[in-house]
Amino acid sequence: MNEKRVVELPKSGIWLNAAPATLQDMRGRPVVLAFVNGTSVWSMQRVAEVTHWLARNPGRVHLVVVQVPRFEFEREPQQSLKLLRRHGVSAPILLDAQWDAWRQFEVQSWPTLVLLDAAGQERERLVGGAGDLERALNSLCEGLLRPLDEESASVRELNAEPRLPLQFPGGLAVTADRLYIADTGHHRVLECTHSGRVLRQFGLATADLVNGGLGEAAFNRPQGLALVRDVLYVADTGNHAVRRINLMSGQVDTLCGSGRAGDPKAGVLAQPWDSALNHPVDVAVADNQILIAMAGDNHIWSYDLGSRELRWRAGAGVVEVRDGSGHLAAFAQPASLMAVQQTLYVCDALGSAIRSVQLRGDLVQTLVGQGPWESGNVDGPRLRARLQYPTAIAMGPDSPLLWIADAGNGLLRTLRLGGGDLSTVNLPRRLHGPCALAVAAGAIWIAESDAHAVLRFDPLSGELGDVPIEG
């Protein structure tokens, strides 16, 4: 029988968080090469699955994450590193900026896991979410005498993220005197004053799904927030759930979600866990319904607070920018929502697009954006304008101006509704991974995720400043 060829990692790759290594260096132990893209939710879910297996089976395999850019900004090493760390990736990361490893291993799509045995030969590959990962990894390790010792098995990250009060904040809600922050990397939600003094912490800062009061509740990588009177709704992304914080009592409960990613089931939920959710990243509230941006299945769902009915409102599931009614339309990883009267505005991250959904009839239309592979940095009329991986939108109560966090370009943009142009806001500096926006108290509030900070921008004076979070 002919021996399978042994392929090496290309020298053009850039190691982002670990010392350079070759597959030859890793011989004697199986290797999982995870070809992923940091902007892809499905890629990050696959890496998380492998990481969970490794936690139960330490020292059995080497995991190498191969980051293959989709957008131009991802070719910059620091931005790719931040993108992956934002999702909790700590395994060795190789940036394949020129797609050399992709071609060398003949990969066709994200995510793809290439499983190499201890001799460096390919044993199997799992594409997308297909294949029994548990079986494949267990089979890869059959016959190994023992796990690696602790020193060999662990890889120390180079230039780890600094220890700061916030870690990759991913959600904001602001009132006349309060600032609420989804401190995503610390698995908690903070209630602060506008000056940054922490008043209360919701969540124990450990990744878990627990309901209860201030000293009991727990979140897992919470992101989008929506505030309605004395209730704060939370897209608890890592738990694949929608949670609710009663701000009067501090009590946290779960509205829907089983704690694990899965296909949502439309219908009335007798219990919150009767339906799984798939990577909810943001929420908005309109007409007593929570609208949910479900990045894992490219759909917009709604949960009725009265009847507890979960409904699939719009999106066909494929990664496209396609207009139409309800299920005929298509989104490309919706990331942020803004409900205004009977219109829901959607920030479509992979589509580099801004969309609208008419909540009466669920008609989807594209305001800016040409498709999943059309991105850039162009102001002007909508048909000519370009964004690059926008991640958040916000709007004030009395203005037709939609504010956009154009994360790929590091810019704050505006779109005047009613047929106006896309414009770039003149800021004193570039933004680093803006992931959430809020408009309140005469200011634009920005969660600058990659800098672990919250900023306040005064649109009248042009002043941009940090909000120093204490505690």
Side-chain angles (χ1 to χ4, degrees), residues 21 103 107 110 123 125 136 198 255-256 265 360 363 373 377 379 384 413 430 449:
R103 287 189 291 267
V107 177
W110 299 291
R123 286 272 296 274
R125 64 176 59 193
V198 177
L255 294 176
C256 53
K265 296 178 182 177
R360 291 174 182 165
L363 178 66
W373 298 100
N377 178 11
D379 285 342
R384 191 173 68 87
R413 317 283 290 273
R430 185 181 178 278
S449 189

Side-chain angles (χ1 to χ4, degrees), residues 71 350-353 369-376 386-388:
F71 293 100
L350 293 189
S352 295
Q370 300 299 317
W373 298 100
E374 293 288 335
S375 63
R386 293 290 187 274
L387 299 159
Q388 182 182 193

Side-chain angles (χ1 to χ4, degrees), residues 15-20 81 85 155-161:
W15 291 90
L16 299 182
N17 64 338
L81 176 59
R85 281 182 170 168
V155 176
R156 291 183 178 274
E157 274 201 284
L158 301 178
N159 304 315
E161 294 297 322

